[in-house]
Amino acid sequence: MEIAGVDVKDLKNEYGTPLYIYDVNHIKNIMSLYKNNFKSEMFETEIEYASKAFNCKEMIRVVKEMGLSLDVVSLGEMYTAIKAGFDPKHIFFHGNNKSLEEINYALDNNIGTVVVDNLDELKVLEEVSKSKNKVVNIVIRMNVGVSAHTHKFIVTAHVDSKFGVLYGSDDYKEMKKIIDNSKNIKFLGFHSHIGSQIFDLSAFNASIDKLFEMAKDFNYPLVMNIGGGYGVHYTNEDSPIPFDIVSKTLIKTAEDAVRRTGIKIKKLAIEPGRSIVGEAGYTLYTIGFTKKTPNKEYYFIDGGMTDNIRPALYQAKYDAEIIGKENEAHNHKVTIAGKCCESGDLIIEDINLPEAKSGDLLITYTTGAYGYSMSSNYNKALTPAVVFVEDGKSRIAIKRMTLDELIEREV
Ligand SMILES: *Cc1c(COP(=O)(O)O)cnc(C)c1O
C-alpha cells in the first residue's frame, strides 16, 4: 500500500509506529476544491481552515501556501499559527470563554477577527481594545437555533447551547448597543456553526436563512460565516456530499437569499476542519498479541485511545486494513484494541480482516481530524510522530515524543 506515492512499509521503517500519516496531496486537492467552487459574483467569499481538527506548524504552512484563512480557538492554536508565520490578519479567533491573556495576545498580535461568543466577552473586548487604543474587528457568534448532528437536524432545538447569542435576547440587544456606539469595536457580521459530520445541506440552508433575518437590523452589508461541519467518509455507512457540490449549494442558497430578501451581503465564509484533513489522515500501528475470548477475537495494537479517543468518546466508527494482506480473505471478525488500561480502549469493534500475525501493520483510515489534536498521554503513552507525505516523499511534521520529554516538566 502506498500513500501519496510512498510505500507504507518504508514509513514504518523510517518513523516507527504508531504513526500519523498525512497525504498532503489530498489535503491540497480538497482545499482547491473548496477554493474553486466556493465563490460568487454577488459577494466576497472566504474559506477558513478550522485548525482545531489538526493544528501544527507544518499544517499551518500548508494552509498559508494554499491561501486559506485560519480559525483558532485558543492561545495555543493562535501561538502555533503566529510561530509558523501565518499572517494574523487572516486569523479568526473563536472560543466561548476567552481569557484576558488570550484577548491581550490577540490584540497585541493584531489578529484579524475575533468571533465574539457572548455579552461578557464583548464588554471585556471593548475595554481592552479601548485601553490599547486599537480597533478590533468582530463577528458575533449567533445561536441560530439549528442543531445538526450527523444525518438529522432540528430547528429551534438548542436554545440552551453553550455557544453563541440568541437573536432578539436581552444580551443580543445590549450587544447591539455596544457595537453601535463603540469606537474600538468594528462589527462585521454574524457567525454560526451548527454541528459536525453533517450530511444534510438543508441544515446549512436553514442557518443561512436565519442569518439573513438578522441582517435586516443593519443598513450595511454584513459578513456571514456559516461555520464548518461538512461530513466525511469514515466507513461505508457514511456517504458524504462532494465538497464542490457542498460549496456550490451553499453559494446558491446565499445568492437566492440575496435575491429573495433584497439584503446584500459583503462576504460569505465557511470554516471546514474535518473535511479538509479527515480523509487525508491515516494511523499506522503494529499488531502485537492476539487473543480469543469465548465470543471475540482481539488484535492488539501498539496505540489506542491515546492517539484516537473518538471511538471511546462518541462511538465513532473506523475502517482498517492489514498492510500486505489486502487481497487475502477477510474471514476473521475481530476487535482492534489498544494497549491502555481501560476496557473501552477499542479502536474498531467487529471488523472483518484477514488473519494477522504479530508484527503485521494495521492501518486505520480517516484519522486526520481530531486524532492527533485529541491525543493524550494517558498511561504515559508517548505522543506518536506525525509524518507528511507528498509527491512520493515523506517529511516529519511532529517528532515522536521521547521519554525525557514526557517527564520534562515534572519537578
Ligand atoms: C469545530 C468547528 C469548526 C469545524 O468543524 P468540522 O466539523 O471540523 O468541519 C468550524 N467552526 C467552529 C466554530 C467550530 O467550533
Side-chain angles (χ1 to χ4, degrees), residues 50 52-53 71 73 94 141 163 191-193 195-197 227-230 271-275 369-370:
K52 74 176 194 280
D71 273 9
V73 299
H94 287 264
R141 177 157 184 176
F163 293 112
H191 173 279
S192 77
H193 172 72
S196 261
Q197 188 62 356
Y230 317 107
E271 301 170 327
R274 182 191 317 267
S275 54
Y370 309 103

Side-chain angles (χ1 to χ4, degrees), residues 46 88-94 98 106-107 110-116 121-122 125-126 129 134-140 179 182-190 223 266-267:
E46 186 164 17
K89 272 207 304 286
H90 301 300
I91 296 180
F92 291 77
F93 181 28
H94 287 264
K98 300 178 184 79
L107 291 180
N110 301 312
I111 295 298
T113 308
V114 176
V115 183
V116 174
E121 179 186 341
L122 185 60
L125 197 58
E126 139 95 337
S129 54
K134 288 203 168 189
V135 175
V136 56
N137 295 323
I138 69 154
V139 297
I140 297 181
I179 59 180
S182 172
K183 290 186 177 61
N184 301 94
I185 301 282
K186 186 169 180 217
F187 174 74
L188 300 181
F190 291 122
V223 171
K266 180 163 167 54
K267 185 189 284 181

Side-chain angles (χ1 to χ4, degrees), residues 9 40 53 76 117 135 147 174 176 222 238 253 257 296 353 383:
K9 284 186 180 148
S40 168
D117 177 87
V135 175
S147 167
E174 205 173 330
K176 176 103 175 36
L222 299 184
D238 305 315
T253 303
K296 269 187 180 297
L353 287 175
T383 310

